[in-house]
């Protein structure tokens, strides 16, 4: 009669339990690193596509930033966004809105979808940054036993 | 078929002006298309296919109902081999603007002729 057995299942079980409890400071570091890489990707892609605000000398690509990591029930997240706004006379326009108009265009203005392209082109490189930090933590944790 | 040809084949029968990148006419309802191309299916030091990130912009006046034409645009794109689209609303003071985003893949690039 054939016999199938698993040895060390309790160790596998323990490993998955640990994986579900990645410390917040490690998660935070991974998110921060990925958001930084995301910022760089959006900036590089924007530069290559000629993204700019034609009505201002301030370059909106210099205004890309990311929020601090925020905790959620299932993990956490960071937002990569455009900070600040442009004031012209009495009108104030958020840099995020200028970026949106660049991304989708408007009547008489060609779209420059730099945010989507950055995500598609550099998505793997961005997630690699976070995976490296989580991977290092895993190796360190499991080597400690 | 190139992405531009596929877009024209899909969208021209809808009866609206269809222009790449920018519309310079006077109609109030029209379609503008644009795309960026990424290399795909890398092998043997080459990208063996092209993946296009496509935007189709549907502009129309404020009070007009967009639903029927949006459905027709999505169906026409699907029939021509574009992926299932995402639609964003990018309206401005000048009227309604729907940005329809999807992908298109053009395989079998023959680099021997380049």
């Amino acid at each position: 009669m054939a016999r199938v057995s698993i040895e060390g299942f309790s160790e596998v079980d323990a490993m998955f339990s640990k994986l579900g409890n990645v410390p917040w400071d490690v998660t935070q570091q991974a998110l921060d690193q990925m958001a930084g890489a995301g910022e760089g990707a959006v900036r590089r892609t924007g530069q290559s596509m000629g993204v700019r605000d034609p009505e201002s000398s301030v370059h909106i690509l210099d205004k890309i930033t990311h929020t601090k990591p925020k905790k959620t029930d299932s993990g956490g997240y960071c937002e990569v966004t455009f900070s600040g706004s442009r004031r012209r006379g009495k009108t104030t326009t958020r840099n995020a809105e200028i970026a949106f108009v660049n991304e989708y265009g408007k009547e008489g203005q060609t779209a420059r979808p730099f945010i989507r392209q950055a995500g598609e082109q550099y998505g793997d490189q961005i997630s690699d940054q976070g995976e490296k930090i989580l991977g290092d933590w895993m190796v360190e944790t499991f080597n400690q036993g | 078929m190139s992405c531009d040809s596929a877009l024209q084949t899909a969208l021209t029968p809808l009866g609206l002006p269809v222009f790449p990148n920018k519309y310079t006419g006077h109609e109030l309802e029209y379609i503008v298309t644009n795309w960026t191309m990424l290399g795909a299916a890398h092998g043997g030091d080459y990208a063996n296919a092209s993946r296009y990130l496509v935007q189709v912009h549907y502009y129309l006046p404020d009070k007009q109902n967009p639903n029927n034409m949006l459905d027709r645009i999505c169906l026409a794109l699907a029939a021509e081999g574009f992926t299932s689209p995402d639609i964003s609303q990018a309206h401005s003071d000048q009227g309604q603007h729907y940005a329809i985003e999807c992908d298109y893949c053009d395989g079998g690039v023959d680099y021997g002729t380049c």
Side-chain angles (χ1 to χ4, degrees), chain A residues 53 59 66 98 127-128:
Chain A
D53 173 8
H59 208 303
H66 67 271
I98 295 166
S127 57
D128 282 352

Side-chain angles (χ1 to χ4, degrees), chain A:
Chain A
M1 185 187 286
R3 184 178 168 183
V4 178
S5 68
I6 298 173
E7 286 181 31
F9 190 75
S10 59
E11 284 176 22
V12 175
D13 192 36
M15 185 182 82
F16 279 113
S17 300
K18 279 183 186 170
L19 274 180
N21 293 309
V22 179
W24 174 240
D25 63 319
V26 176
T27 308
Q28 209 171 1
Q29 206 187 335
L31 287 170
D32 217 35
Q33 196 74 25
M34 287 194 291
E39 261 181 59
V42 171
R43 188 173 297 114
R44 278 198 301 282
T45 311
Q47 279 165 351
S48 72
M49 294 178 86
V51 168
R52 66 194 177 90
D53 173 8
E55 296 177 28
S56 170
S57 57
V58 177
H59 208 303
I60 62 159
L61 295 176
D62 293 334
K63 297 292 178 186
I64 305 173
T65 183
H66 67 271
T67 59
K68 282 184 183 165
K70 293 189 185 89
K71 213 170 185 175
T72 63
D73 290 342
S74 58
Y77 70 95
C78 270
E79 287 172 332
V80 175
T81 182
F82 292 80
S83 65
S85 53
R86 175 195 73 193
R87 183 169 285 181
R88 209 169 42 124
K90 289 181 180 171
T91 312
T92 302
T93 311
R94 292 186 308 127
N95 284 326
E97 189 180 332
I98 295 166
F100 183 87
V101 172
N102 268 280
E103 178 80 7
Y104 290 116
K106 62 178 184 181
E107 281 192 54
Q109 182 177 323
T110 307
R112 295 182 178 92
F114 66 113
I115 299 172
R116 180 184 179 201
Q117 188 177 325
E120 296 284 350
Q121 205 166 359
Y122 298 106
D124 287 345
Q125 286 177 33
I126 293 167
S127 57
D128 282 352
Q129 304 279 329
E131 276 175 30
K132 166 120 185 35
I133 289 167
L134 294 176
D136 288 349
W137 171 80
M138 260 191 274
V139 170
E140 199 180 312
T141 305
F142 293 119
N143 281 346
Q144 284 168 2

Side-chain angles (χ1 to χ4, degrees), chain B residues 22-101:
Chain B
K22 196 193 233 180
Y23 178 61
T24 50
H26 300 289
E27 298 287 338
L28 297 174
E29 187 180 7
Y30 57 90
I31 292 170
V32 175
T33 62
N34 61 275
W35 49 261
T36 47
M37 190 198 87
L38 304 175
H42 291 86
D45 286 343
Y46 294 115
N48 293 292
S50 305
R51 182 174 162 226
Y52 295 86
L53 308 178
V54 179
Q55 285 187 339
V56 174
H57 303 271
Y58 172 41
Y59 290 93
L60 72 162
D62 268 335
K63 289 180 181 168
Q64 202 170 318
N65 187 334
N67 295 338
N68 181 39
M69 185 54 77
L70 280 173
D71 284 348
R72 290 177 64 199
I73 291 171
C74 293
L75 288 171
L77 289 170
E80 210 50 47
F82 291 84
T83 59
S84 178
D86 298 319
I87 303 176
S88 301
Q89 299 189 22
H91 310 318
S92 70
D93 295 344
Q94 291 148 313
Q96 298 184 70
H97 171 191
Y98 293 87
I100 300 153
E101 294 180 292

